[in-house]
Amino acid sequence: MLNQRLTNQLAQIVGKDNILTSKISLASYAYDASPYQGRPGVVVFPISTEMVVEVVKFANKHNLPIMPRGAGSCLSGGAIAPEGSIVISFSRMNRIIDINPENRIAVVEPGITNKQVQLAAEPYGLMFAPDPASQNISTIGGNIAENAGGIRGVKYGSTKDHILGLEVVLPSGEIIVTGDINSPLEPEIDLTYFFCGSEGTLGIVTKAWLALTPINPKVKTMTAIFNSLENAGSCVAEIIAKGVVPTTMEIMDNTVIKAVEDYLKLGFPRDAAALLLIEVDGFPSDVETQVVSILNAFTNNKALSYKIAGNEKEREDLWKARRSVNGALGKLKPANIVHDIVVPRDRLAIMLEKVAQMAKKYGIIIGQVAHAGDGNLHPTLYYDHRIPEEVEKVEEACDEIIKETIVQGGTISGEHGIGIEKLKYMPLAFTKQSLEYMQKVKDAFDPENICNPGKLLPQIAED
Amino acid sequence: MKKDELLEIIMSCNRCGVCQEVCPTYIVSGVETNVARGRNRLIRLGLEEQQFNLDNEPELEKIVNECLLCKACEVNCPSGVPTPEIISNIRAHYTTTKGLPWAKKIMYRGIFSDNRKISLIRNLARIYQKSGINKLVKLAGLFNKTDEMLPDLPKENVRAKLPVLLKNFERPKHKVAYFLGCSVNNFFSSIGIATIKVLQENDCQVIVPDVNCCGAPHQSAGDQDEFIRLAKNNIKKLNELDVEAIIVDCSTCGSIIKEYEKLFANDKEYQDIIAKITAKIQDISSYLLSIDFKREMGQINQKVTYHDPCHGIRFLKVKDAPREILKSIPGINLIEMKEADMCCGGAGSYGIFNPKLSRDILARKMENYKESEAGILATSCPACTMQLSFGLKLHKLNGQIKHPVELLAEAYELKKI
Ligand SMILES: Cc1cc2nc3c(=O)[nH]c(=O)nc-3n(C[C@H](O)[C@H](O)[C@H](O)COP(=O)(O)OP(=O)(O)OC[C@H]3O[C@@H](n4cnc5c(N)ncnc54)[C@H](O)[C@@H]3O)c2cc1C
Ligand code: SF4
Ligand code: SF4
């Protein structure tokens, strides 16, 4: 347990300006963007790897839990501080150490935001491909720990596909450097992958080597409207089958279309069953052939109508619908829960259909937006947290959504992580053996279980 | 606002954290207590009285006072959470239950509420600056740089000069009132003079009604009673005028007058009068554009960059007009500086009561200004002018802070020569 004496010692390690201990300030580190609440014991703001090492050694010596924290935008409770923990906030380790356009590498501290990396890379015609919707605030450390994905994910993959190497402070206080920044192709056991998606449970990332990607010179954006989810779903399948890899392929269901239309009056038919938003990029000739294939797929699958953006302004207009989903639906109810399920692409339409039926069955609002290209759905359940019956219905619907996902051969998280929220679903998604091996990995890195305990891995019952 | 209503509004914050990107106090400190999300959360906990109580926590009170009311969070918030309004409500609650802290009381009620007293204090302050006492005081460490924040004070305020400034037109093209705010009147008379001259240059008959302080300092401190009293006075004065527009050259005054509406939400009669008045409020740049201002003027060869006052860009929603004015002046090369719309940390008397945060925010503004390599930093709010001038001094930068209308007046003047 932390006490005054230990807190003073910590203050000596990080300096008195880099520590928070008061009741009030700790209350502002008890939450992230999920509905859960934690109880931090103290918050420190290290400014160097050495400082992190000292803090971790200190925690180890006194057997105190630690939790790294970026922007606190986690949706699954990964950044909820364990009882009496030392929260290590990276808001003051946020420098870009180097950008090397020839090698297309950025070296950064973990507290830098995704957007700052984009801004620094852009002048060289480069980008960091992962682009979570939270990119303006979420940090590279958090992106790595949650293996964040984004709208460009269909084409470019998720965070783990763009990390060349990491500097990590292990729970023992040792520093390791993973990966091989000179050649991503080296055959080896690349420890980098263990840390991507580990939700801060294996170690603390203090530096990252990021692979940058050239920005393609041309983009084309289009939308199409369908009168059944099935048609939209088969359209997605056809586009992919033709070998077109869009950078974006988002699908929105009727609940979302209606809410967005009522909110923004963009001229979509309120009774449309599905809207597809598709964007392709590449060299001009390449883009044109892709557009032709996509338009064919629209016609083959009975799209009611479609639009292609002719200029940047029209492109912005098409994106507007997608960007305003949260704003539009958020107006209807004070609270919401967003799911992050993944199903095989050919099950997308049926899954959307099933969830829409559940909304009817429970009499609640579920808006559905999905990254159709990789089968990642974000059904969002809107409710009033002060009405117990609504909360209960939402909980039941959540369980049913997860069960249906598993039935469809899918899994419980595409990009938001397990955190606390989906702990109880882990045994549904993974076999006991898989979970046991995950636990062995955890034990190898963190035998004392001090690193963000209580997240990601469920307690497996002994039998 | 009632506790329940307030809680209802706070609950629309879903803790997404998007405000981190734009909240100046968070940007410079990186601490969650200093961002809209944290402030909302802590206020909510304080109101719910489970973990702690709003009224017995000096630290919470400090956090509430550290908000700049700059509105950056609100305009970027996906859920549209009106954090500044929440903060203002809590400050008003503190002021009602605890009274204003003595320093604020003297400063706001004692000085800003009364035109004559502002002038008197101004004169005293000028003596203080000229006599060298300030050096002694500074030595004693008493004011700790606060005095440097004061601008060099002009000899006479604008109101005293009105008889010579105001022209009578036989057949004016336009008839306007000029809301002469207390900062411009007393501390930055060159802005007020420029506004009057430029309007007259554009064939406007200018009336300067005898208004009092708009109430911004009182509102920001949560001194609701005094704010209402000042507002009523001003509404009366402005309602009497027969003019096509009421011109402001201070973004803060303009925004605050537009907020009077909220003060009388339950009073239909006042509402109607205020609606009529607010419809006429125009910032000087937008007004000049709307009357197709005179483009014949002399040349000013300068690189200029523009700082958006919070009350300009986010309250009055004026973005392009001042830039258009600047671009219309021959010789001026207008460059955009980084984060032009981020608060300068002035926020009225914020700098005096929250020196550390204010200085850090100012340092960032100065860094961005330096990077722009402009020789003139233009802005449309005297509170910003004060803070930015202080910034130049503090960071030993060359350059001048000017209102666009001052530059325009200069350019007109040059043409005449
Ligand atoms: C509006 C909104 C939109 C979102 N959109 C997306 C989206 O499109 N795609 C997506 O994938 N996610 C999305 N998210 C979820 C969230 O933004 C991501 O999970 C993000 O990567 C979290 O980053 P963070 O900096 O906020 O991390 P935090 O929330 O602070 O932490 C998340 C986890 O990372 C760990 N961690 C943080 N820093 C380190 C470090 N240096 N070393 C080790 N572990 C660390 C923490 O312990 C915690 O377990 C969204 C969230 C919001 C609120
Ligand atoms: S952006 Fe708005 S909803 Fe999100 S945390 Fe900030 S105040 Fe709350
Ligand atoms: S008003 Fe400005 S300082 Fe206050 S919380 Fe919002 S962004 Fe931050």
Side-chain angles (χ1 to χ4, degrees), chain A residues 52-75:
Chain A
V52 176
V53 169
E54 289 310 311
V55 171
V56 172
K57 282 189 175 156
F58 175 86
N60 217 328
K61 184 165 154 204
H62 301 285
N63 200 18
L64 295 165
I66 48 179
M67 187 198 78
R69 178 177 165 113
S73 71
C74 188
L75 292 166

Side-chain angles (χ1 to χ4, degrees), chain B residues 19 22-26 34-37 39 66-74 83-84 87:
Chain B
C19 40
V22 293
C23 177
T25 50
Y26 181 81
N34 287 340
V35 69
R37 172 168 76 165
R39 293 188 171 115
E66 276 171 352
C67 169
L68 298 152
L69 301 179
C70 74
K71 226 175 178 166
C73 50
E74 183 177 345
T83 305
I87 300 273

Side-chain angles (χ1 to χ4, degrees), chain B residues 14-187:
Chain B
N14 60 16
R15 298 177 315 286
C16 67
V18 167
C19 40
Q20 284 180 356
E21 192 198 1
V22 293
C23 177
T25 50
Y26 181 81
I27 291 174
V28 300
S29 69
V31 175
E32 189 73 28
T33 47
N34 287 340
V35 69
R37 172 168 76 165
R39 293 188 171 115
N40 286 330
R41 176 58 156 217
L42 294 174
I43 290 172
R44 175 174 162 183
L45 290 174
L47 286 171
E48 288 175 342
E49 297 179 33
Q50 281 167 13
Q51 293 179 30
F52 45 80
N53 186 302
L54 199 60
D55 295 316
N56 315 327
E57 300 291 346
E59 191 183 351
L60 181 54
E61 195 170 338
K62 177 165 169 284
I63 288 166
V64 167
N65 285 328
E66 276 171 352
C67 169
L68 298 152
L69 301 179
C70 74
K71 226 175 178 166
C73 50
E74 183 177 345
V75 299
N76 279 285
C77 172
S79 316
V81 180
T83 305
E85 199 182 327
I86 297 169
I87 300 273
S88 295
N89 266 284
I90 300 297
R91 286 193 194 165
H93 164 79
Y94 281 144
T95 308
T96 334
T97 50
K98 304 183 173 186
L100 277 180
W102 66 270
K104 288 194 179 176
K105 194 180 290 169
I106 295 176
M107 189 147 156
Y108 299 148
R109 283 223 176 168
I111 304 177
F112 277 105
S113 289
D114 184 332
N115 267 336
R116 267 173 323 171
K117 282 201 198 141
I118 309 179
S119 315
L120 180 68
I121 289 290
R122 195 187 68 89
N123 290 337
L124 286 176
R126 189 157 183 275
I127 295 170
Y128 160 84
Q129 281 184 341
K130 295 289 164 215
S131 65
I133 306 177
N134 57 341
K135 306 230 165 54
L136 280 176
V137 177
K138 208 159 89 182
L139 267 183
L142 272 178
F143 270 63
N144 187 21
K145 283 205 172 160
T146 303
D147 62 320
E148 282 190 12
M149 291 159 75
L150 281 178
D152 277 332
L153 295 170
K155 264 211 301 265
E156 251 184 325
N157 68 19
V158 183
R159 234 167 245 289
K161 289 196 190 134
L162 286 180
V164 268
L165 281 172
L166 291 181
K167 276 203 266 181
N168 240 327
F169 288 73
E170 288 264 309
R171 248 180 253 108
K173 236 186 178 159
H174 309 278
K175 200 170 157 202
V176 299
Y178 166 41
F179 187 97
L180 174 56
C182 17
S183 289
V184 167
N185 182 33
N186 290 294
F187 304 132

Side-chain angles (χ1 to χ4, degrees), chain B residues 100 113 145 157 162 195 228 235 243 266 280 370 412:
Chain B
L100 277 180
S113 289
K145 283 205 172 160
N157 68 19
L162 286 180
T195 299
I228 293 181
I235 293 167
V243 288
N266 300 323
K280 286 188 187 167
K370 207 164 92 190
Y412 282 148

